């Protein structure tokens, strides 16, 4: 199995080395495999993390620790209406898939709770560690910390659910149809995004996120998909 994995990885690496680099692309994109999880990690998970920001007398210091994007978006739409999201640090598997986000007690000494974060696309709750927000007064067992790092609010096992599921084949067909509006002869399928917590990549190693607010890290593995199936 290891030999097969190494060979497959080497073959894919050779394709990446030989492939052209797309300098610019404006059009529909499908995120799949690792990129799908990384997309939600960067665009959703980090925006429900570290809420609220610490208070500083020095305004310059406060700018270094900005509030998360969703701090003041309770009861507002943050995802399509067909999506629900909940966080459950009390489970160690989901539909047979083993999870690593379970913990028995958070780093503030509270028992973890399952919380519904998004209901039909509307943000209804946030992970709370030790500091409440204006709309959420009580902690819900999501205080997480580490050696030399402060205790902040972080999710455990984020579960995204969609009420509008379609097959991958239909998704590609929709992408190509949308691409015609952009006068494109192909669409893009992205399978891997750069890891924002990788010190060799383009992200912020210490904070585990992209340097630019609300921006994704660069794609590392992308495929052009043409109408004839190529």
């Amino acid at each position: 199995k290891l030999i097969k994995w190494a060979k497959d990885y080497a073959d894919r690496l050779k394709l990446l080395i030989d492939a052209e680099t797309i300098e610019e692309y404006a059009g529909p994109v499908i995120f799949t495999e690792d990129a799908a999880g990384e997309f939600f990690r960067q665009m959703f998970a980090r925006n429900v993390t570290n809420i609220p920001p610490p208070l500083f007398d020095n305004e310059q210091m406060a700018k270094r620790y900005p509030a998360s994007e969703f701090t003041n978006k309770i009861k507002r739409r943050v995802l399509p209406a067909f999506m629900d999201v909940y966080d459950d640090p009390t489970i160690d598997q989901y539909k047979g898939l083993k999870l690593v986000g379970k913990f028995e007690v958070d780093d503030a000494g509270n028992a973890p709770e399952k919380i519904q974060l998004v209901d039909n696309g509307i943000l209804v709750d946030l992970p709370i560690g030790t500091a409440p927000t204006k709309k959420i007064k009580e902690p819900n067992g999501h205080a997480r910390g580490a050696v030399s790092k402060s205790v902040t609010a972080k999710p455990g096992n984020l579960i995204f659910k969609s009420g509008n599921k379609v097959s991958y084949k239909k998704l590609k067909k929709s992408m190509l149809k949308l691409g015609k509006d952009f006068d494109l002869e192909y669409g893009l399928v992205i399978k891997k995004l750069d890891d924002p917590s990788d010190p060799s990549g383009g992200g912020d190693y210490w904070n585990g996120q992209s340097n630019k607010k609300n921006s994704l890290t660069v794609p590392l593995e992308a495929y052009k998909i043409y109408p004839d199936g190529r």
Side-chain angles (χ1 to χ4, degrees), residues 85-101:
V85 185
Y86 67 87
D87 184 70
D88 192 352
T90 68
I91 58 174
D92 58 9
Q93 61 174 320
Y94 178 77
K95 294 185 176 181
L97 177 69
K98 291 184 178 180
L99 306 175
V100 297

Side-chain angles (χ1 to χ4, degrees), residues 2 8 13 16-17 28 39 63 69 79 115 135 145-146 156 165 168 172 189 199 213 222-223 226 230:
L2 284 173
D8 290 344
L13 192 60
L16 290 171
I17 292 170
F39 175 89
K63 289 180 180 179
E69 188 68 17
L79 287 172
I115 53 173
K135 295 186 177 180
K165 298 176 183 179
Y168 183 53
K172 286 196 294 183
V189 171
K213 195 174 182 181
Y223 296 84
Y226 292 87
R230 287 182 295 137

Side-chain angles (χ1 to χ4, degrees), residues 46-153:
R46 79 176 180 200
N47 282 322
V48 295
T49 296
N50 302 340
I51 294 173
L55 299 175
F56 295 97
D57 289 333
N58 188 318
E59 190 175 322
Q60 292 301 317
M61 282 293 292
K63 289 180 180 179
R64 294 183 58 185
Y65 298 89
S68 296
E69 188 68 17
F70 291 170
T71 302
N72 299 313
K73 291 191 175 179
I74 293 290
K75 305 301 180 184
R76 293 171 62 183
R77 184 174 303 286
V78 295
L79 287 172
F82 56 79
M83 292 198 73
D84 294 333
V85 185
Y86 67 87
D87 184 70
D88 192 352
T90 68
I91 58 174
D92 58 9
Q93 61 174 320
Y94 178 77
K95 294 185 176 181
L97 177 69
K98 291 184 178 180
L99 306 175
V100 297
K102 180 182 179 181
F103 50 92
E104 300 295 335
V105 62
D106 76 357
D107 290 321
N110 295 313
E113 299 176 20
K114 176 183 176 181
I115 53 173
Q116 185 79 25
L117 295 172
V118 176
D119 185 19
N120 293 325
I122 304 295
L123 187 70
V124 295
D125 204 350
L126 292 168
I128 299 296
T130 56
T133 70
K134 289 180 180 180
K135 295 186 177 180
I136 306 173
K137 307 298 183 182
E138 299 295 330
N140 49 35
H142 283 77
R144 313 296 301 279
V147 175
S148 78
K149 291 188 177 183
S150 57
V151 175
T152 55

